Amino acid sequence: MSLGDFKLAEENGWPLLRSERGFGKLAIFLAAFSAAMATWCFTIGGFVSNYLSATAGTFALLAGSLLGILLVTLATLPMCSKYGIDSVVASRAQFGTRGSYLSLFLVYASTMGWNVILFIYKGRAIAELLVTFGIMDRRYWNLCVAIVGVLAVFIVLDLIRKGPEYVRSRGPIIAVLVAVMSLVVLALLISRVGINGVLDAVAIAPYNGAAGNWASALEVLIAVNLSWWSYVGTIVRTSPSARQSLWPVVIGFGLGVGIGSLVGLYTGLVVTDSGGDPTTFLVDEGGVIVGMTMLAFLLIANVGTAMMGIYASSLAVRQLPKAEKLSWKWTIFLVSLPAMIVVGFFAGSADSFFSIFLAFLGVAFAPMCGIQVVDWFVLRRQRLDVASLYLLDRPSKYFYVAGLNPVGFLAFGAGVATYMYLLDPVTYVYRAPFQYTTASFPAAIVAGIAYFAGTRLFLAPRGIGGYGRQTASASGPTDGSEKPAAQPVSEQPA
């Protein structure tokens, strides 16, 4: 394959050959870490400060992050890394060639949702700094937020217009800068209030029972890390080995969010009306020097995450029929256009939107992960037919019924219903046994069991979807590197 073909494969989501996957452990870690570290961590930590104190909240942030990334890693990393495909393409095996549009919608909604939050919060923080320094009158605050947010979108578009390789080459640089400045912000916060000031602070609005507070805090971090479903597939498809990608993904995404949210947790506890954002507090306490440090942090932070988010959503959108005919520049612009509109006209609704958005992540991605884990490890025994993933009509094993897998959608619906029973995504009021199980894990388990049962009862006996009585297709190599002999099983091994 020529360099030009490789670039097309990168931009259009085609499977990458092992020889073309040049990302090692460090590159995977830095790409994951640059996506995880952003100012949204302030709000995540601030959200947890409603339920837990500093010590308990610290453990909950780290534990919840690792639990969330565990589900995503099991669901996406093995198949995406093995075959060099992204998460949306991989989901065609469970939802059908047309049913994977559900995955595409979830990827687009989650990545653009995070980007909207990032751009709005960047605009709000910079507007607050301008007001504090006396550069701008507060009556122009909303206008400034909108302008800064939209300008930030264009800056990110300019950075990634050169293509995916540019995204990955610049992401690690941004990750290092953001990590260093996060430590500076944390040090400034502790120097202003002292260690005891943080440790003695109590949760802002806890439930009566300790179990409910722990479960609510854990669920926030689990849901946040479930949103890495699309990002993980996008990154690990460039690595030749799933084992090589495992710990860089777990540490970069999982602990990246947990550690990054500590500033928001401590700020939310100490400054109860801050929502976890330390900007105003530190500027008031530290003056111009601290203010300029914060301004530099805000200008740099979010760029790596936004770049990866727009890339992941653009990659998903280009799976649509005829979408690959658009140039890369037009694709990223059209994908980002709704975010520009929301940031420009609805920036004031960010606070009420955030908690609902977090619940949406759990509602959507927990069932998805449960279905894929069961399908990959139990039903298909870690084998996919890559050619069928890219054949969108009847010749594909994954065409199911008119391109849709009814079992996959019913299982997904069962998982969503389970989540919404346990935790209301709008009011964040829970029902038992949420306080002992959270909502995401039961939703994933129910969806996985429903998918297993439906496949065994309805699909496998009929030889539908590559299950059961079906001879192997002679559709070519499964991973792009070698052509296996046809075997009388439902899927061909890599």
Side-chain angles (χ1 to χ4, degrees):
M1 180 179 285
S2 68
L3 181 60
D5 293 333
F6 172 71
K7 189 173 186 296
L8 285 174
E10 282 272 81
E11 294 180 358
N12 293 306
W14 300 341
L16 299 176
L17 304 177
R18 292 189 186 277
S19 60
E20 297 167 340
R21 306 180 211 167
F23 263 49
K25 294 180 180 180
L26 181 60
I28 293 291
F29 166 75
L30 290 175
F33 193 72
S34 66
M37 290 292 289
T39 54
W40 64 24
C41 293
F42 293 159
T43 306
I44 294 168
F47 205 80
V48 172
S49 70
N50 288 310
Y51 307 109
L52 297 175
S53 62
T55 302
T58 299
F59 284 108
L61 285 173
L62 300 179
S65 295
L66 292 175
L67 288 172
I69 203 63
L70 169 65
L71 269 179
V72 173
T73 300
L74 290 174
T76 60
L77 188 145
M79 67 181 85
C80 292
S81 183
K82 182 175 184 177
Y83 296 114
I85 57 178
D86 71 274
S87 304
V88 173
V89 170
S91 72
R92 290 173 181 167
Q94 299 85 41
F95 291 91
T97 54
R98 295 192 179 114
S100 64
Y101 292 161
L102 169 65
S103 306
L104 191 154
F105 168 76
L106 296 180
V107 167
Y108 183 79
S110 63
T111 54
M112 286 300 103
W114 276 127
N115 280 357
V116 165
I117 291 173
L118 293 177
F119 294 134
I120 289 176
Y121 277 58
K122 182 186 287 288
R124 288 171 59 170
I126 291 178
E128 192 63 41
L129 284 172
L130 294 177
V131 171
T132 302
F133 290 149
I135 299 173
M136 182 185 73
D137 191 277
R138 185 167 289 277
R139 59 181 172 172
Y140 300 115
W141 194 86
N142 288 329
L143 178 61
C144 179
V145 172
I147 292 174
V148 170
V150 173
L151 285 176
V153 178
F154 279 104
I155 291 171
V156 171
L157 289 178
D158 183 65
L159 289 173
I160 68 173
R161 64 185 173 83
K162 297 179 182 179
E165 185 58 36
Y166 189 82
V167 174
R168 288 195 292 267
S169 65
R170 296 302 183 270
I173 299 173
I174 295 170
V176 173
L177 291 173
V178 171
V180 171
M181 300 200 75
S182 294
L183 293 175
V184 172
V185 171
L186 181 59
L188 289 170
L189 176 67
I190 293 177
S191 70
R192 293 294 178 267
V193 300
I195 299 254
N196 291 333
V198 174
L199 295 178
D200 294 340
V202 297
I204 299 171
Y207 294 114
N208 291 329
N213 291 315
W214 269 95
S216 297
L218 288 172
E219 180 60 38
V220 171
L221 273 299
I222 293 171
V224 166
N225 280 274
L226 286 175
S227 69
W228 298 130
W229 184 84
S230 58
Y231 295 74
V232 170
T234 300
I235 291 175
V236 302
R237 67 190 289 258
T238 62
S239 173
S241 167
R243 184 176 300 176
Q244 183 173 291
S245 304
L246 176 61
W247 287 112
V249 164
V250 170
I251 297 172
F253 277 126
L255 288 182
V257 171
I259 294 172
S261 300
L262 293 177
V263 173
L265 170 66
Y266 303 152
T267 304
L269 291 170
V270 173
V271 188
T272 55
D273 60 348
S274 66
D277 186 352
T279 307
T280 304
F281 171 73
L282 289 179
V283 170
D284 289 341
E285 292 289 321
V288 176
I289 295 177
V290 173
M292 295 305 296
T293 302
M294 286 299 302
L295 182 60
F297 173 81
L298 293 166
L299 290 174
I300 296 171
N302 304 341
V303 173
T305 308
M307 288 167 62
M308 189 59 68
I310 293 176
Y311 171 47
S313 56
S314 298
L315 194 67
V317 167
R318 288 175 76 87
Q319 308 304 315
L320 292 171
K322 300 182 179 180
E324 73 277 2
K325 294 182 179 180
L326 283 173
S327 68
W328 177 251
K329 293 178 183 179
W330 270 106
T331 300
I332 61 176
F333 173 77
L334 293 175
V335 162
S336 305
L337 187 59
M340 295 182 203
I341 294 173
V342 174
V343 171
F345 294 98
F346 304 102
S349 60
D351 290 329
S352 59
F353 169 75
F354 186 76
S355 61
I356 298 174
F357 178 68
L358 283 181
F360 159 77
L361 296 176
V363 167
F365 289 110
M368 179 74 70
C369 289
I371 289 170
Q372 288 191 307
V373 169
V374 167
D375 187 54
W376 175 255
F377 289 102
V378 181
L379 295 171
R380 299 195 189 276
R381 298 181 182 180
Q382 305 179 52
R383 300 169 180 171
L384 291 177
D385 186 324
V386 173
S388 287
L389 291 174
Y390 290 87
L391 293 172
L392 304 183
D393 296 322
R394 291 187 182 278
S396 172
K397 288 182 180 180
Y398 311 128
F399 188 72
Y400 291 99
V401 181
L404 304 172
N405 180 6
V407 170
F409 280 90
L410 288 173
F412 183 82
V416 169
T418 301
Y419 190 103
M420 296 185 71
Y421 171 80
L422 292 170
L423 180 64
D424 188 314
V426 177
T427 64
Y428 225 72
V429 174
Y430 66 83
R431 294 188 182 97
F434 168 86
Q435 64 268 40
Y436 306 109
T437 63
T438 70
S440 291
F441 272 86
I445 292 170
V446 168
I449 292 173
Y451 190 81
F452 176 83
T455 299
R456 289 298 195 198
L457 291 174
F458 300 106
L459 299 180
R462 295 166 176 80
I464 299 174
Y467 302 107
R469 299 189 304 272
Q470 184 173 354
T471 59
S473 68
S475 53
T478 57
D479 68 354
S481 58
E482 56 181 280
K483 183 176 181 178
Q487 300 181 34
V489 294
S490 60
E491 305 289 344
Q492 296 179 10

